[in-house]
Amino acid sequence: MSNGVYNSIEHRATVNTTKERISLAMFFNPELDADVGPAKSLLTNKGDPPLYKTLVMEQYLKDFFSRKLNGKTFLEKMKIRNDEES
């Protein structure tokens, strides 16, 4: 959604033998007919074209869970330039 403007950090956990660790998973799921892709507010400059595909959420989920990635991460598969290279 950030079109590459904001990068996620790698997530890791360290085991601590003296303290209990609690993890919370939080999910955000748009409606199945909602468009999922780069936020329009981050594409305001002509020099900032979308770097990733926009899909309907239902298709995004089907593609994500099909795992036909051929050695690529799903994020790499969503890049528009990958369509041109294929």
Side-chain angles (χ1 to χ4, degrees):
M1 295 181 107
S2 78
N3 201 42
V5 174
Y6 303 105
N7 294 318
S8 176
I9 62 168
E10 187 174 335
H11 295 77
R12 294 185 178 183
T14 304
V15 178
N16 186 325
T17 58
T18 59
K19 293 184 179 180
E20 181 178 348
R21 179 174 180 262
I22 298 174
S23 297
L24 299 173
M26 302 179 80
F27 300 95
F28 170 76
N29 288 319
E31 297 289 327
L32 291 177
D33 61 350
D35 286 338
V36 178
K40 304 287 187 239
S41 63
L42 296 173
L43 302 175
T44 56
N45 299 327
K46 290 183 181 178
D48 296 332
L51 302 175
Y52 299 91
K53 300 176 193 175
T54 295
L55 297 175
V56 175
M57 184 63 181
E58 183 176 11
Q59 187 62 48
Y60 175 88
L61 290 172
K62 285 178 183 178
D63 289 353
F64 181 83
F65 288 111
S66 72
R67 297 293 184 186
K68 296 176 185 172
L69 305 178
N70 299 326
K72 299 177 182 176
T73 66
F74 190 69
L75 187 61
E76 289 172 338
K77 184 178 179 190
M78 291 297 296
K79 286 185 179 178
I80 290 175
R81 68 172 188 195
N82 284 343
D83 287 341
E84 296 167 2
E85 294 171 358
S86 300

